[in-house]
Short mmCIF file of all heavy atoms in Angstrom, two decimals:
data_model
loop_
_atom_site.label_atom_id
_atom_site.label_comp_id
_atom_site.label_asym_id
_atom_site.label_seq_id
_atom_site.Cartn_x
_atom_site.Cartn_y
_atom_site.Cartn_z
N MET A 309 88.63 115.99 106.23
CA MET A 309 87.79 115.94 105.03
C MET A 309 86.38 115.45 105.38
O MET A 309 85.38 116.03 104.97
CB MET A 309 88.44 115.03 103.98
CG MET A 309 87.67 114.88 102.70
SD MET A 309 86.48 113.54 102.74
CE MET A 309 87.53 112.13 102.44
N ALA A 310 86.31 114.39 106.19
CA ALA A 310 85.01 113.81 106.53
C ALA A 310 84.17 114.83 107.30
O ALA A 310 82.96 114.99 107.05
CB ALA A 310 85.20 112.54 107.34
N GLU A 311 84.82 115.52 108.22
CA GLU A 311 84.10 116.51 109.03
C GLU A 311 83.49 117.59 108.14
O GLU A 311 82.33 117.97 108.33
CB GLU A 311 85.09 117.13 110.02
CG GLU A 311 84.42 117.69 111.25
CD GLU A 311 85.47 118.18 112.25
OE1 GLU A 311 86.41 117.41 112.54
OE2 GLU A 311 85.34 119.32 112.69
N GLU A 312 84.26 118.05 107.16
CA GLU A 312 83.74 119.09 106.25
C GLU A 312 82.54 118.60 105.47
O GLU A 312 81.72 119.39 105.01
CB GLU A 312 84.85 119.53 105.29
CG GLU A 312 85.82 120.50 105.95
CD GLU A 312 87.13 120.64 105.18
OE1 GLU A 312 87.17 120.31 103.98
OE2 GLU A 312 88.11 121.09 105.81
N ARG A 313 82.44 117.28 105.27
CA ARG A 313 81.32 116.71 104.49
C ARG A 313 80.20 116.20 105.41
O ARG A 313 79.32 115.47 104.95
CB ARG A 313 81.79 115.53 103.67
CG ARG A 313 82.85 115.79 102.66
CD ARG A 313 83.05 114.54 101.83
NE ARG A 313 81.75 114.03 101.35
CZ ARG A 313 81.11 114.49 100.30
NH1 ARG A 313 81.63 115.43 99.58
NH2 ARG A 313 79.93 113.99 99.96
N GLU A 314 80.30 116.49 106.69
CA GLU A 314 79.35 115.95 107.68
C GLU A 314 79.31 114.42 107.63
O GLU A 314 78.25 113.79 107.67
CB GLU A 314 77.96 116.55 107.49
CG GLU A 314 77.99 118.02 107.84
CD GLU A 314 76.67 118.73 107.66
OE1 GLU A 314 75.69 118.07 107.28
OE2 GLU A 314 76.63 119.93 107.91
N SER A 315 80.48 113.86 107.46
CA SER A 315 80.64 112.40 107.47
C SER A 315 81.64 112.05 108.57
O SER A 315 82.11 112.94 109.27
CB SER A 315 81.20 111.94 106.12
OG SER A 315 80.36 112.37 105.08
N THR A 316 81.96 110.75 108.70
CA THR A 316 82.92 110.35 109.73
C THR A 316 84.05 109.54 109.10
O THR A 316 83.83 108.87 108.09
CB THR A 316 82.24 109.50 110.82
OG1 THR A 316 81.51 108.44 110.18
CG2 THR A 316 81.30 110.32 111.68
N SER A 317 85.22 109.60 109.72
CA SER A 317 86.36 108.82 109.22
C SER A 317 86.84 107.89 110.34
O SER A 317 86.92 108.30 111.50
CB SER A 317 87.49 109.76 108.81
OG SER A 317 88.59 109.01 108.35
N HIS A 318 87.14 106.66 109.98
CA HIS A 318 87.48 105.64 110.97
C HIS A 318 88.75 104.90 110.56
O HIS A 318 88.96 104.67 109.38
CB HIS A 318 86.36 104.60 111.07
CG HIS A 318 85.01 105.22 111.26
ND1 HIS A 318 84.41 105.31 112.48
CD2 HIS A 318 84.18 105.80 110.37
CE1 HIS A 318 83.24 105.93 112.34
NE2 HIS A 318 83.08 106.23 111.07
N ALA A 319 89.54 104.51 111.56
CA ALA A 319 90.72 103.68 111.28
C ALA A 319 90.86 102.66 112.39
O ALA A 319 90.75 103.02 113.57
CB ALA A 319 91.97 104.54 111.19
N PRO A 320 91.09 101.40 112.03
CA PRO A 320 91.24 100.39 113.08
C PRO A 320 92.56 100.56 113.83
O PRO A 320 93.44 101.28 113.37
CB PRO A 320 91.25 99.06 112.29
CG PRO A 320 91.51 99.40 110.88
CD PRO A 320 91.17 100.85 110.68
N PRO A 321 92.72 99.87 114.99
CA PRO A 321 94.01 99.91 115.69
C PRO A 321 95.13 99.51 114.73
O PRO A 321 94.91 98.70 113.83
CB PRO A 321 93.86 98.86 116.79
CG PRO A 321 92.40 98.66 116.96
CD PRO A 321 91.76 98.98 115.67
N ARG A 322 96.32 100.07 114.95
CA ARG A 322 97.42 99.86 113.99
C ARG A 322 97.76 98.39 113.78
O ARG A 322 98.12 97.99 112.68
CB ARG A 322 98.64 100.66 114.44
CG ARG A 322 98.42 102.16 114.17
CD ARG A 322 99.54 103.03 114.68
NE ARG A 322 99.37 104.41 114.24
CZ ARG A 322 98.51 105.28 114.78
NH1 ARG A 322 97.71 104.92 115.77
NH2 ARG A 322 98.43 106.52 114.31
N MET A 323 97.63 97.57 114.83
CA MET A 323 97.99 96.14 114.64
C MET A 323 97.07 95.45 113.64
O MET A 323 97.40 94.40 113.11
CB MET A 323 97.96 95.40 115.98
CG MET A 323 96.59 95.23 116.56
SD MET A 323 96.68 94.25 118.06
CE MET A 323 95.07 94.59 118.75
N TYR A 324 95.88 96.06 113.40
CA TYR A 324 94.97 95.49 112.42
C TYR A 324 94.98 96.25 111.08
O TYR A 324 94.21 95.92 110.17
CB TYR A 324 93.54 95.43 112.97
CG TYR A 324 93.39 94.45 114.12
CD1 TYR A 324 92.66 94.78 115.27
CD2 TYR A 324 93.97 93.18 114.07
CE1 TYR A 324 92.52 93.89 116.32
CE2 TYR A 324 93.85 92.28 115.12
CZ TYR A 324 93.12 92.64 116.24
OH TYR A 324 92.99 91.75 117.27
N CYS A 325 95.82 97.30 110.98
CA CYS A 325 96.02 97.96 109.67
C CYS A 325 97.08 97.22 108.88
O CYS A 325 96.90 96.92 107.71
CB CYS A 325 96.48 99.40 109.86
SG CYS A 325 95.21 100.52 110.43
N ILE A 326 98.21 96.92 109.54
CA ILE A 326 99.27 96.18 108.86
C ILE A 326 98.80 94.74 108.67
O ILE A 326 97.85 94.29 109.29
CB ILE A 326 100.59 96.22 109.65
CG1 ILE A 326 100.37 95.73 111.08
CG2 ILE A 326 101.20 97.61 109.63
CD1 ILE A 326 101.64 95.49 111.85
N ASP A 327 99.52 94.03 107.79
CA ASP A 327 99.14 92.63 107.51
C ASP A 327 99.14 91.83 108.81
O ASP A 327 100.10 91.90 109.58
CB ASP A 327 100.13 92.02 106.52
CG ASP A 327 99.91 92.56 105.11
OD1 ASP A 327 98.90 93.25 104.89
OD2 ASP A 327 100.75 92.26 104.25
N ASN A 328 98.07 91.07 109.02
CA ASN A 328 97.96 90.28 110.26
C ASN A 328 97.07 89.07 110.04
O ASN A 328 96.15 89.11 109.23
CB ASN A 328 97.39 91.17 111.39
CG ASN A 328 95.97 91.62 111.10
OD1 ASN A 328 95.01 90.98 111.50
ND2 ASN A 328 95.81 92.72 110.35
N GLY A 329 97.37 88.00 110.77
CA GLY A 329 96.61 86.76 110.61
C GLY A 329 95.19 86.87 111.15
O GLY A 329 94.30 86.14 110.71
N THR A 330 94.96 87.81 112.07
CA THR A 330 93.63 87.92 112.68
C THR A 330 92.58 88.31 111.64
O THR A 330 91.47 87.78 111.64
CB THR A 330 93.66 88.96 113.81
OG1 THR A 330 94.70 88.60 114.71
CG2 THR A 330 92.34 89.02 114.55
N MET A 331 92.94 89.21 110.73
CA MET A 331 91.94 89.63 109.73
C MET A 331 91.62 88.46 108.79
O MET A 331 90.49 88.34 108.30
CB MET A 331 92.43 90.85 108.94
CG MET A 331 93.60 90.62 108.02
SD MET A 331 94.11 92.17 107.21
CE MET A 331 95.29 91.53 106.00
N ILE A 332 92.60 87.59 108.58
CA ILE A 332 92.37 86.42 107.73
C ILE A 332 91.45 85.44 108.46
O ILE A 332 90.54 84.85 107.87
CB ILE A 332 93.72 85.75 107.36
CG1 ILE A 332 94.67 86.78 106.72
CG2 ILE A 332 93.53 84.54 106.46
CD1 ILE A 332 94.16 87.47 105.47
N ALA A 333 91.69 85.29 109.77
CA ALA A 333 90.81 84.42 110.58
C ALA A 333 89.38 84.96 110.57
O ALA A 333 88.41 84.20 110.43
CB ALA A 333 91.34 84.36 112.01
N LEU A 334 89.24 86.29 110.71
CA LEU A 334 87.89 86.88 110.74
C LEU A 334 87.15 86.64 109.43
O LEU A 334 85.99 86.21 109.44
CB LEU A 334 87.98 88.39 111.03
CG LEU A 334 86.63 89.11 111.02
CD1 LEU A 334 85.72 88.61 112.14
CD2 LEU A 334 86.82 90.62 111.13
N LEU A 335 87.82 86.88 108.30
CA LEU A 335 87.12 86.67 107.02
C LEU A 335 86.83 85.18 106.82
O LEU A 335 85.75 84.83 106.32
CB LEU A 335 87.94 87.25 105.86
CG LEU A 335 87.27 87.15 104.49
CD1 LEU A 335 85.86 87.73 104.48
CD2 LEU A 335 88.13 87.84 103.41
N GLY A 336 87.74 84.31 107.25
CA GLY A 336 87.48 82.87 107.17
C GLY A 336 86.24 82.51 107.97
O GLY A 336 85.36 81.76 107.52
N PHE A 337 86.15 83.07 109.17
CA PHE A 337 85.00 82.83 110.05
C PHE A 337 83.71 83.28 109.37
O PHE A 337 82.70 82.56 109.36
CB PHE A 337 85.23 83.59 111.36
CG PHE A 337 84.08 83.56 112.32
CD1 PHE A 337 83.92 82.50 113.20
CD2 PHE A 337 83.15 84.60 112.34
CE1 PHE A 337 82.84 82.47 114.08
CE2 PHE A 337 82.08 84.58 113.22
CZ PHE A 337 81.92 83.51 114.09
N ILE A 338 83.74 84.48 108.78
CA ILE A 338 82.54 85.03 108.12
C ILE A 338 82.14 84.13 106.94
O ILE A 338 80.96 83.77 106.77
CB ILE A 338 82.81 86.47 107.61
CG1 ILE A 338 83.02 87.43 108.78
CG2 ILE A 338 81.68 86.96 106.71
CD1 ILE A 338 83.53 88.82 108.38
N GLU A 339 83.11 83.74 106.14
CA GLU A 339 82.80 82.92 104.96
C GLU A 339 82.30 81.53 105.35
O GLU A 339 81.41 80.98 104.72
CB GLU A 339 84.03 82.82 104.06
CG GLU A 339 84.44 84.20 103.52
CD GLU A 339 84.78 84.20 102.05
OE1 GLU A 339 84.34 83.30 101.33
OE2 GLU A 339 85.51 85.12 101.64
N LEU A 340 82.85 81.02 106.43
CA LEU A 340 82.41 79.71 106.92
C LEU A 340 80.95 79.79 107.37
O LEU A 340 80.16 78.89 107.10
CB LEU A 340 83.31 79.28 108.08
CG LEU A 340 83.30 77.81 108.44
CD1 LEU A 340 83.69 76.94 107.26
CD2 LEU A 340 84.29 77.56 109.59
N GLN A 341 80.60 80.89 108.00
CA GLN A 341 79.21 81.08 108.41
C GLN A 341 78.28 81.14 107.22
O GLN A 341 77.10 80.81 107.30
CB GLN A 341 79.07 82.36 109.22
CG GLN A 341 79.56 82.21 110.64
CD GLN A 341 79.08 83.35 111.51
OE1 GLN A 341 79.04 84.49 111.07
NE2 GLN A 341 78.70 83.03 112.73
N GLU A 342 78.81 81.60 106.09
CA GLU A 342 78.04 81.66 104.84
C GLU A 342 78.06 80.30 104.13
O GLU A 342 77.55 80.17 103.01
CB GLU A 342 78.63 82.72 103.90
CG GLU A 342 78.54 84.13 104.42
CD GLU A 342 77.10 84.62 104.54
OE1 GLU A 342 76.41 84.62 103.51
OE2 GLU A 342 76.68 84.97 105.66
N GLY A 343 78.72 79.33 104.74
CA GLY A 343 78.74 77.97 104.18
C GLY A 343 79.82 77.74 103.14
O GLY A 343 79.80 76.75 102.42
N ARG A 344 80.80 78.66 103.05
CA ARG A 344 81.82 78.48 102.03
C ARG A 344 83.08 77.84 102.63
O ARG A 344 83.57 78.28 103.67
CB ARG A 344 82.21 79.82 101.40
CG ARG A 344 82.89 79.66 100.05
CD ARG A 344 83.22 81.00 99.44
NE ARG A 344 84.41 81.62 100.00
CZ ARG A 344 85.66 81.25 99.73
NH1 ARG A 344 85.89 80.25 98.90
NH2 ARG A 344 86.68 81.87 100.29
N THR A 345 83.58 76.81 101.98
CA THR A 345 84.89 76.25 102.34
C THR A 345 85.67 76.05 101.04
O THR A 345 85.10 76.11 99.95
CB THR A 345 84.78 74.90 103.08
OG1 THR A 345 84.08 74.00 102.23
CG2 THR A 345 84.07 75.02 104.41
N THR A 346 86.95 75.80 101.16
CA THR A 346 87.79 75.63 99.97
C THR A 346 88.24 74.18 99.89
O THR A 346 88.88 73.68 100.82
CB THR A 346 89.03 76.55 100.09
OG1 THR A 346 88.55 77.89 100.27
CG2 THR A 346 89.89 76.49 98.85
N SER A 347 87.89 73.51 98.79
CA SER A 347 88.31 72.11 98.65
C SER A 347 89.79 72.08 98.28
O SER A 347 90.34 73.08 97.81
CB SER A 347 87.49 71.43 97.55
OG SER A 347 87.83 72.01 96.31
N TYR A 348 90.41 70.94 98.46
CA TYR A 348 91.84 70.83 98.18
C TYR A 348 92.16 71.26 96.73
O TYR A 348 93.06 72.09 96.53
CB TYR A 348 92.29 69.39 98.45
CG TYR A 348 93.79 69.26 98.50
CD1 TYR A 348 94.48 69.50 99.68
CD2 TYR A 348 94.51 68.93 97.36
CE1 TYR A 348 95.86 69.41 99.73
CE2 TYR A 348 95.88 68.83 97.39
CZ TYR A 348 96.56 69.06 98.57
OH TYR A 348 97.93 68.98 98.60
N PRO A 349 91.40 70.78 95.71
CA PRO A 349 91.75 71.20 94.34
C PRO A 349 91.57 72.70 94.09
O PRO A 349 92.22 73.26 93.21
CB PRO A 349 90.77 70.41 93.45
CG PRO A 349 90.20 69.35 94.31
CD PRO A 349 90.31 69.79 95.73
N GLU A 350 90.72 73.35 94.88
CA GLU A 350 90.51 74.81 94.68
C GLU A 350 91.47 75.65 95.53
O GLU A 350 91.37 76.88 95.54
CB GLU A 350 89.11 75.21 95.16
CG GLU A 350 87.96 74.65 94.42
CD GLU A 350 86.65 74.87 95.22
OE1 GLU A 350 86.70 75.08 96.46
OE2 GLU A 350 85.61 74.83 94.57
N SER A 351 92.36 74.97 96.25
CA SER A 351 93.09 75.71 97.28
C SER A 351 94.37 76.39 96.78
O SER A 351 95.12 76.95 97.57
CB SER A 351 93.41 74.79 98.47
OG SER A 351 94.34 73.81 98.06
N GLY A 352 94.59 76.35 95.46
CA GLY A 352 95.78 77.00 94.90
C GLY A 352 95.72 78.51 95.11
O GLY A 352 94.64 79.08 95.31
#
Side-chain angles (χ1 to χ4, degrees):
M309 179 272 280
E311 205 175 310
E312 281 163 19
R313 300 187 49 82
E314 293 179 1
S315 304
T316 51
S317 180
H318 309 261
R322 286 176 172 77
M323 69 176 165
Y324 293 137
C325 287
I326 54 169
D327 286 351
N328 65 93
T330 306
M331 68 183 189
I332 305 302
L334 177 65
L335 183 53
F337 174 85
I338 294 170
E339 297 224 23
L340 198 57
Q341 282 196 321
E342 296 294 302
R344 199 178 79 75
T345 58
T346 304
S347 67
Y348 194 86
E350 295 167 338
S351 68

